[in-house]
Amino acid sequence: MNPPIPPKPATLHDVAKAAGVSLITASRALGNPAIVSDKTRARVEQAVEATGYVPNLLAGGLKSKRSRMVAGIVPALSVSQFLPTVQTLTAALHEQGYQLLLGQTFYDAAREDEVLAAMISRQPDGIVMMGLVQSERARERLRRARIPVVETWDFSDRPVDMVIGFSHLKVGSALAGYFLARGYQRVGIATGDDHRAMQRHAGFAAAWGRDVPTARVAAPSTLESGRRALGELLERQPRLQAVACSSDMLAHGVLVEARARGLRVPEDLAVSGFGNAEFAAHMVPAITTVHVDGPEIGRLAARLIVDRCRGVAPERSSFDLGFRMIERASTSATAGDTGPPGHPAVD
C-alpha cells in the first residue's frame, strides 16, 4: 500500500480566515501580541490550534531582521540562585513576543567561548549572561557582532555592553564584618572555585585581615562537597567557630556534616550561605544568607534587550542592585532581622 499523502501545511492565510481577521492582524497577533486586543489574540490563537499552523520563524526573522529569540548563558541550571532570574527573564521576554534559548557553560571558560560562538552564529536579538564574559576573545566577538549584551550577577566598570549586578568583593567584606561584629575568631571559608565565589573569598579575606582557613570545591557546589568542605576545615582547625559558605547549597552540606559529627548549629558552629535559595529559609536551622534580587535582574535585563531592539537607548549601561544579608538561626538564636542593601544585618 502507498503511504498516505500528508496534508498540506496550514498557512497564515488559513489562520486569518479561520479567525475572521485580516492577514496583517493575524500576523501582528502572532508576532507582536502586545499591540492587539486580548479578544483578537484569543481568536487567532484558537485558529492556530484549529488549523495546526506552525509559524516559520526563520522566514519572519529574515524579513524583519529580528529572530525574536534571546540567548541566555548560565553556568549551570542546577545552581538554584540563578533560577529566579531565568524564570523572570523568560516571562518578561515572552510578554514582548520573544523566546529565551538557554546554553550552559558548566563553569568552563573554553565551553563559554564555544556556547557564545554558537549563539552569535544564530543571530539572536540579544544575549543575557549570568556572570561576566571572561575571555577577551569572546568580548571582542560580541562587540563586533553588535548584539545587545547584558551581563548579570556581577559588576564591572568595563562591561561588554550593559551590566546588572553587584560587587562580590563587597559581599565578602560584609560577611567578614558580620562575623567580626559577633566576636568570632576561628572562622573558615567553604567556597566554590568559580570567579564570583573567589571574588567573595578575596573580599572576606581582605576585611578579616589575617589568614582564613579555606576549603575550595569545584563549581557547581553540591551538598556532598559541602560535607567534605567542613571535614577539611575541621582537620585544619578542630576548634572552628563559624563557616562562611559561597552558596546556600554548600551551607546545606555543612549543616548536614555538622549534625553527623554531633555539632550544634549555631551553638557550636555558626554557618552562613549565599544566594537566598528557596530552601534556605526552611532548613532546620534556617540558613543565614546573602539576598540578591534575582527576579529584578531578569526583569531589567529583558527590558534593556527589548528597548535596544526597538532602538531605545538605555538610560545608563551599569546597574548596581546591591545586596542584603538575611540573618537566620544558623548564626543567631534571635535571628530574623535584615540589614539594608549592601550591609550586614544589625541586631
Side-chain angles (χ1 to χ4, degrees), residues 87-278:
Q87 291 167 347
T88 307
L89 176 64
T90 302
L93 288 172
H94 181 262
E95 289 177 0
Q96 300 299 322
Y98 291 80
Q99 298 298 323
L100 184 68
L101 177 65
L102 286 175
Q104 300 183 77
T105 66
F106 300 102
Y107 292 93
D108 183 271
R111 179 70 172 265
E112 180 180 284
D113 280 353
E114 292 174 3
V115 172
L116 278 170
M119 292 297 190
I120 292 170
S121 69
R122 285 162 175 77
Q123 297 184 334
D125 290 336
I127 295 177
V128 178
M129 295 285 301
M130 303 298 159
L132 300 178
V133 180
Q134 293 300 307
S135 86
E136 194 57 44
R137 177 185 178 188
R139 292 169 66 86
E140 183 60 27
R141 181 183 290 129
L142 286 167
R143 291 191 187 100
R144 291 181 178 180
R146 296 187 177 183
I147 297 171
V149 178
V150 183
E151 296 166 283
T152 67
W153 276 90
D154 207 337
F155 205 72
S156 171
D157 57 3
R158 51 183 297 268
V160 172
D161 187 7
M162 299 170 283
V163 63
I164 308 168
F166 54 95
S167 168
H168 289 269
L169 282 169
K170 290 181 180 179
V171 171
S173 178
L175 281 167
Y178 176 82
F179 284 116
L180 284 169
R182 282 147 184 78
Y184 292 106
Q185 297 296 316
R186 298 182 297 279
V187 175
I189 296 177
T191 180
D193 60 359
D194 59 283
H195 169 75
R196 290 173 295 280
M198 294 310 298
Q199 285 286 299
R200 297 194 292 276
H201 177 277
F204 191 106
W208 197 254
R210 58 185 182 276
D211 182 56
V212 185
T214 300
R216 186 182 301 184
V217 305
S221 54
T222 63
L223 188 153
E224 179 186 2
S225 59
R227 296 193 66 173
R228 286 191 281 103
L230 178 58
E232 182 179 335
L233 289 171
L234 288 172
E235 286 183 7
R236 299 184 187 180
Q237 175 51 270
R239 298 173 61 211
L240 196 66
Q241 294 176 307
V243 180
C245 302
S246 68
S247 72
D248 290 339
M249 184 58 71
L250 269 182
H252 185 186
V254 168
L255 289 179
V256 171
E257 185 62 21
R259 186 177 295 114
R261 291 170 179 256
L263 296 173
R264 299 169 302 164
V265 177
E267 294 84 355
D268 301 324
L269 185 72
V271 180
S272 70
F274 172 83
N276 196 23
E278 182 181 10

Side-chain angles (χ1 to χ4, degrees), residues 57 61 64-70 98 122-126:
L57 297 180
S64 66
K65 297 185 179 179
R66 292 293 179 197
S67 65
R68 291 284 172 180
M69 183 269 288
V70 173
Y98 291 80
R122 285 162 175 77
Q123 297 184 334
D125 290 336

Side-chain angles (χ1 to χ4, degrees), residues 52-64:
Y53 173 67
V54 179
N56 187 336
L57 297 180
L58 178 59
L62 290 173
K63 292 178 182 178
S64 66

